[in-house]
Amino acid sequence: MTEYGSFPGARPRRLRTTPAMRRMVAETRLHPADLILPAFVREGIGEPVAIGSMPGVVQHTRDTLKKAAVEALEAGVSGIMLFGVPEDAKKDALGTAGTDPDGILQVALRDVRAEVGDDLIVMSDLCLDEFTDHGHCGVLDAEGRVDNDATLERYAEMAQVQADAGAHVVGPSGMMDGQVGVIRDALDTIGKEDVSILAYTAKYSSAFYGPFREAVGSSLTGDRKTYQQDPANVRESLRELALDLEEGADMVMVKPAGPYLDILAKVAESVDVPVAAYQISGEYAMIEAAAQRGWIERDRAILETLLGIKRAGANMILTYWATEVARGL
């Protein structure tokens, strides 16, 4: 090789020689402030209930939820997204427990705000699926289909009670047409102009939601394909994005994260508002299950997936590992 002088002249490996070198030239960095912790709070339990399909994740009591919020805050996590799990007897066709000021989600919002104040962003899932006896994200019509416009009326009420309970941010996740505009009007009407909307802009009908349904005690039979997006479609997401921004979304989200990094990248390139991605229950469960069997290195796999989501353009990542990862960064 001497006849070629210093061939090869370009040696990218020079910038990979040591951990310090790799750290210095890293193009993507995770920070605790990038992370949001989704958390479940269940009514009527005295101790946390483990979620079998999500090792390490529990349905919290009110007290353990407050502790989890404080731990997230101390780790440097930016926010916590709350999901309420009511007693089965309180579920009905309209999801009225979701708009009851004394319902489990509203009580939990007040608990967490009292505990962390404004130091941690308290977010609230704005959807009816946890509270309906049929498990759908909206009100059903006489033929059993989700009635978009009747559901919007319920979302408006839900937004108001969540804001009154202390939510800094509401996250409408039901994928109803017009939901962001209706919620913005409902919030402004009661003087809650400062409450932000994190729009679930591109929420796909995914096979990876399975463990979540255990986590919230879902009553769903069938599927949500008539309102969640078709995994085959890209342009549809950009149309949803334009509509959400026109209706007043402050932030937008892609869900799931890992299987839809291409969508996340397109959304991030298209907007000037913060972009979130939700690393959902199935993504979490796969890594935990494989790691338990010794098939992958758990901690490396977690960080690699989160870096991939950040690299694709997410400013914020909802992940069940938020507190753990934040402590290690």
Side-chain angles (χ1 to χ4, degrees):
M1 300 298 293
T2 54
E3 62 184 294
Y4 297 108
S6 60
F7 176 87
R11 293 183 182 267
R13 288 182 56 189
R14 292 182 185 125
L15 303 184
R16 305 171 195 155
T17 52
T18 67
M21 178 67 78
R22 292 191 295 273
R23 184 174 64 247
M24 183 179 73
V25 301
E27 299 174 30
T28 304
R29 300 181 194 276
L30 274 175
H31 188 277
D34 300 331
L35 305 176
I36 297 166
L37 176 68
F40 307 101
V41 57
R42 179 173 168 182
E43 188 172 23
I45 57 173
E47 298 290 337
V49 175
I51 300 168
S53 55
M54 299 177 69
V57 180
V58 301
Q59 294 172 326
H60 284 287
T61 68
R62 289 173 60 185
D63 286 339
T64 63
L65 177 66
K66 290 187 288 185
K67 181 181 178 182
V70 171
E71 290 174 349
L73 172 61
E74 291 174 346
V77 171
S78 281
I80 186 168
M81 173 69 81
L82 302 186
F83 297 85
V85 185
E87 295 174 331
D88 285 344
K90 294 185 178 179
K91 295 182 180 183
D92 59 25
L94 299 178
T96 53
T99 51
D100 180 354
D102 294 319
I104 182 59
L105 184 51
Q106 282 67 253
V107 169
L109 285 165
R110 289 194 290 270
D111 285 345
V112 174
R113 275 301 300 273
E115 197 74 16
V116 301
D118 292 330
D119 293 333
L120 184 72
I121 301 301
V122 180
M123 303 178 171
S124 186
D125 179 60
L126 200 164
C127 195
L128 292 172
D129 60 317
E130 297 100 316
F131 305 100
T132 55
D133 54 12
H134 47 73
H136 278 288
C137 297
V139 179
L140 303 185
D141 64 18
E143 298 182 18
R145 300 172 301 188
V146 175
D147 185 325
N148 191 93
D149 295 0
T151 299
L152 294 182
E153 295 179 17
R154 301 288 296 124
Y155 285 2
E157 184 180 355
M158 201 171 193
Q160 291 175 338
V161 297
Q162 290 181 357
D164 283 338
H168 293 107
V169 178
V170 296
S173 59
M175 291 300 288
M176 296 298 120
D177 295 338
Q179 63 185 15
V180 172
V182 165
I183 289 167
R184 182 74 270 158
D185 287 346
L187 292 170
D188 293 352
T189 295
I190 62 168
K192 296 292 184 180
E193 295 90 350
D194 289 341
V195 173
S196 301
I197 298 175
L198 170 57
Y200 283 59
T201 291
K203 182 178 180 181
Y204 282 87
S205 179
S206 172
F208 292 94
Y209 294 130
F212 178 88
R213 293 179 183 172
E214 177 189 354
V216 298
S218 175
S219 303
L220 181 69
T221 57
D223 58 51
R224 299 188 173 114
K225 292 181 179 179
T226 65
Y227 44 103
Q228 294 178 352
Q229 285 182 231
D230 185 339
N233 292 349
V234 176
R235 290 192 300 270
E236 185 178 30
S237 290
L238 299 180
R239 185 182 186 200
E240 291 278 7
L241 175 64
L243 290 168
D244 282 351
L245 293 174
E246 183 180 348
E247 291 172 24
D250 300 289
M251 299 169 277
V252 296
M253 187 193 293
V254 174
K255 180 181 181 181
Y260 296 92
L261 294 181
D262 59 325
I263 307 300
L264 175 59
K266 287 181 180 294
V267 168
E269 291 169 357
S270 303
V271 301
D272 57 3
V273 299
V275 177
Y278 197 147
Q279 186 180 52
I280 67 170
S281 59
E283 298 175 75
Y284 175 95
M286 287 193 302
I287 289 177
E288 291 288 352
Q292 285 182 357
R293 288 159 176 78
W295 294 342
I296 59 173
E297 295 180 49
R298 177 183 181 274
D299 294 351
R300 285 186 63 195
I302 291 169
L303 286 175
E304 188 173 338
T305 58
L306 292 173
L307 274 171
I309 296 166
K310 182 76 181 292
R311 189 181 65 243
N315 305 109
M316 304 166 291
I317 304 171
L318 284 79
T319 176
Y320 299 99
W321 290 301
T323 301
E324 175 188 344
V325 169
R327 286 171 173 160
L329 290 176

